Amino acid sequence: MSIFRDDVLRGKVALVTGGGSGICKGIALTLASHGAHVAVMGRKLEPLQATVAEVEAAGGQGLAVAGDVRRPEEVEAAVARVVEKFGALDILLNGAAGNFLCPAAQLSPNGFKTVIDIDLAGTFNMSRAAFSHLQARGGSILNISATLHYGGTPMQGHVAAAKAGIDALTKNLAVEWGPLGIRTNAIAPGPIDGTEGMSRLAPGEMRDALIAATPLKRFGRIEEIAWAAVYLCSPAAAYVNGATLVVDGGRWLNNMPLPG
């Protein structure tokens, strides 16, 4: 099902990090279904190729590019490969992320740094490498954030810190790069079905508690995040810059405690 014109992104070129699975794969497929040429980037080539196969089976054009967002030289090479293949870059979706449950007292400095490097530094590395290409055609950056840092989330201090940094970077780039024709926004998903994160981080009773604490009384769907991405990358959001769109069924508004 589509809630937009199928050609709303026709002629646009998108690069999606983390596009081999989960939410970012769903976004990549949805951008392609609305006319965009889509490149997906990640450390492992096989899942990226599977995403591209789905894009091409549906009649779109795709590209799989292996690379680590923590390594600026690999980031630069990936962006160059996309521009070489498609001739331009209009949309950068920063979705590569790391996560695991760990109390702060047991979290190693390396574990904390790893998540910061993937989520926050990776978002900057990609944005910086894409800058000149996005400026050339008035493109947009869309960062995947979270709601963990809106309060205190036990065992997620490393991720919350990284996502808070992404929100701050989103605002700064919106101010600095907006005058150059680049819009920068973010999406903060809530609990989403069909993702590895929810299967690992919210099994059993925790899942039930999250649903009970969500005003819409359900988990979200990957396509609902993807539709938000299409909106923010489309001409419909031409005057939206520096925003973080929360897509979580109202969960972050509810102070109902979860079982500890």
Side-chain angles (χ1 to χ4, degrees):
M1 185 180 78
S2 173
I3 59 173
F4 302 95
R5 282 197 344 257
D6 288 345
D7 63 349
V8 70
L9 297 176
R10 189 162 305 282
K12 301 297 184 182
V13 178
L15 170 56
V16 179
T17 68
S21 64
I23 287 173
C24 292
K25 177 179 180 178
I27 291 174
L29 295 175
T30 303
L31 294 177
S33 74
H34 289 86
H37 302 321
V38 177
V40 288
M41 176 182 168
R43 284 178 290 169
K44 297 179 180 179
L45 195 56
E46 187 175 351
L48 303 176
Q49 291 171 330
T51 299
V52 169
E54 290 188 48
V55 167
E56 294 179 342
Q61 294 189 43
L63 174 68
V65 184
D68 189 332
V69 297
R70 296 172 292 183
R71 301 181 180 276
E73 66 279 8
E74 295 184 18
V75 166
E76 294 279 355
V79 170
R81 178 72 183 93
V82 173
V83 174
E84 177 187 21
K85 168 76 172 178
F86 295 119
L89 179 61
D90 301 288
I91 298 165
L92 172 64
L93 189 291
N94 287 310
N99 197 353
F100 53 90
L101 291 172
C102 188
Q106 299 173 19
L107 181 62
S108 71
N110 185 64
F112 184 88
K113 183 178 183 298
T114 296
V115 172
I116 296 294
D117 284 349
I118 296 172
D119 290 46
L120 179 53
T123 294
F124 173 78
N125 292 340
M126 293 300 306
S127 300
R128 183 63 187 85
F131 168 73
S132 61
H133 304 291
L134 296 172
Q135 183 183 10
R137 301 216 307 187
S140 68
I141 298 169
L142 184 56
N143 301 322
I144 300 301
S145 184
T147 61
L148 299 169
H149 54 290
Y150 294 1
T153 304
M155 297 191 289
Q156 291 282 270
H158 46 311
V159 185
K163 297 303 189 182
I166 287 173
D167 283 1
L169 183 62
T170 296
K171 294 172 184 176
N172 276 74
L173 295 185
V175 170
E176 289 193 33
W177 293 357
L180 304 176
I182 302 171
R183 295 185 301 109
T184 307
N185 294 292
I187 294 174
I192 304 299
D193 256 334
T195 62
E196 182 182 354
M198 283 301 98
S199 64
R200 288 192 298 111
L201 303 178
E205 291 184 5
M206 179 60 73
R207 175 188 171 89
D208 295 339
L210 279 171
I211 291 173
T214 301
L216 292 186
K217 301 302 179 188
R218 64 176 177 86
F219 273 17
R221 302 188 300 273
I222 288 175
E223 60 263 35
E224 290 171 321
I225 305 301
W227 292 336
V230 171
Y231 162 66
L232 287 170
C233 294
S234 78
Y239 202 53
V240 180
N241 187 37
T244 296
L245 177 60
V246 178
V247 186
D248 78 338
R251 168 67 191 97
W252 81 276
L253 297 168
N254 192 347
N255 292 322
M256 176 180 173
L258 298 175

